[in-house]
Amino acid sequence: MGTRLSVSVERWPLANVFTIARGSKTEAVVVVAEIAREGKVGRGECVPYARYGETVEGVVAAIEAARPALEAGGNRQELQAAMPAGAARNALDCALWDLEAKLAGQPAWQLAGLPAPGPVTTAYTLSLAEPEAMGEAAAKAAHRPLLKVKLGTADDAARIAAVRRNAPGARLIIDANEGWRADNLAANLRACADAGVVLIEQPLPSSDDGALADVERLVPVCADESLHDRATLPKLAGRYDAINIKLDKAGGLTEAIALARDARALGLDLMIGCMVGTSLAMAPALLLAGQAKVIDLDGPLLLSRDREPGLRYEGSLVYPPDAGLWG
């Protein structure tokens, strides 16, 4: 038998409304690619993201366009050249990694030449809301060691204070999702420093982040929307202290591995992040978690239910995937 590609769209309800500076959502809409070859099936999941001009229909179409090459025996290296970075390539790249691991009878981390992954502590995300509501959410999650706080409004100092007051022992990451501006950047950095925040993600719009080079970064700043694949690394020098590697942006694990290597060579710290998806989307990213200072792979914790088998979460501790899930 030859190679067969199948693609499907899945909808996974969220446990609660998830709100960031750009809007709210009540479900995770994911695209799953499956590649069957020699009696084995590899799977990959991606999350089309409107911020990057992606739609579910467009991602499905891009995956379908790759069908002839894949079913003719195409590999990951050919995929990198044939498709741009983004969600569609991520689903196919991760499916090919999973397939290679199954065909070889070896775990994907071993095929990639990476250390064996172990359990890691993930951040847990607090959705953007009014300060009082965010304080209440922080109190409920105060037992978690690392909280990621969604911000990006004109009144973020009050939100930061409310979260810190209600979760005094947790390490805090702030994610403004491009919601701050140059004229409030310094004040917001100061509020974060006063609250003991350990990292700030993408405070300014990616098109206007030059101000980061001219302000005292009282807290390390991490590029998210300003960073996709290796081609976007050079412009980050002097503006950021870390990068958030998401497989959906990088276009798969293959590029993410290379991106992590090149970023560390430039002296940038790593954060491994995710879109809101199931355990199938988180599993490949866990192969890079050992290189990162911060891990944010809590997508399944935000769902009302995860796929089975899924990743094992014990509180904020997440374990590497079993072969039944991926890799």
Side-chain angles (χ1 to χ4, degrees):
M1 295 179 63
T3 300
R4 300 189 317 277
L5 167 69
S6 61
V7 57
S8 59
V9 177
E10 300 177 352
R11 297 178 178 274
W12 296 84
L14 303 186
N16 299 288
V17 177
F18 184 74
T19 301
I20 66 172
R22 282 189 290 271
S24 301
K25 62 193 298 184
T26 58
E27 63 178 2
V29 183
V30 309
V31 178
V32 176
E34 294 188 352
I35 302 174
R37 185 181 296 165
E38 299 177 28
K40 305 294 185 181
V41 179
R43 299 187 302 163
E45 177 184 312
C46 72
V47 180
Y49 204 54
R51 165 64 180 80
Y52 305 127
E54 295 177 335
T55 63
V56 172
E57 297 77 13
V59 166
V60 169
I63 292 173
E64 287 289 355
R67 178 185 297 276
L70 285 166
E71 294 191 342
N75 57 34
R76 287 186 294 104
Q77 289 69 35
E78 293 164 350
L79 188 69
Q80 306 307 303
M83 296 181 73
R89 196 179 78 187
N90 176 38
L92 292 173
D93 182 74
C94 290
L96 285 169
W97 273 108
D98 189 28
L99 179 63
E100 288 173 37
K102 288 181 167 68
L103 290 172
Q106 293 180 277
W109 61 264
Q110 203 167 61
L111 294 178
L114 296 170
V120 292
T121 297
T122 179
Y124 180 79
T125 303
L126 301 183
S127 186
L128 177 64
E130 292 303 312
E132 182 178 355
M134 293 192 75
E136 292 172 358
K140 292 178 182 177
H143 62 286
R144 296 185 179 272
L146 181 63
L147 297 178
K148 176 171 171 172
V149 184
K150 290 289 189 178
L151 296 177
T153 77
D155 188 28
D156 278 345
R159 289 173 168 83
I160 296 167
V163 169
R164 173 48 80 206
R165 185 168 58 252
N166 285 278
R171 296 169 65 222
L172 300 182
I173 306 166
I174 298 299
D175 186 1
N177 282 117
E178 304 180 280
W180 296 347
R181 295 298 179 263
D183 60 359
N184 63 24
L185 176 62
N188 283 328
L189 288 173
R190 171 54 63 187
C192 288
D194 290 346
V197 170
V198 299
L199 189 72
I200 300 170
E201 280 187 76
Q202 199 67 40
L204 300 177
S206 62
S207 59
D208 191 31
D209 60 3
L212 290 169
D214 303 319
V215 68
E216 184 182 4
R217 296 195 294 275
L218 300 171
V219 177
V221 177
C222 178
D224 186 356
E225 286 86 349
S226 289
L227 181 279
H228 294 266
D229 56 7
R230 283 172 290 170
T232 56
L233 269 180
K235 69 175 185 177
L236 305 182
R239 302 180 183 185
Y240 294 95
D241 308 291
I243 62 167
N244 187 348
I245 298 177
K246 294 178 179 175
L247 270 59
D248 275 313
K249 293 189 302 175
L253 179 61
T254 302
E255 174 64 21
I257 292 170
L259 175 57
R261 178 196 64 225
D262 289 3
R264 293 175 73 191
L266 291 173
L268 292 164
D269 288 329
L270 302 183
M271 175 179 183
I272 305 300
C274 66
M275 307 301 185
V276 182
T278 78
S279 283
L280 181 57
M282 310 298 123
L286 279 167
L287 270 61
L288 291 170
Q291 303 179 36
K293 281 200 169 181
V294 174
I295 294 102
D296 177 28
L297 297 175
D298 66 340
L301 298 179
L302 305 177
L303 303 177
S304 61
R305 64 179 179 87
D306 191 12
R307 70 173 71 247
E308 294 181 2
L311 291 170
R312 174 183 163 201
Y313 285 88
E314 292 181 355
S316 292
L317 198 65
V318 54
Y319 288 79
D322 291 330
L325 172 63
W326 184 89

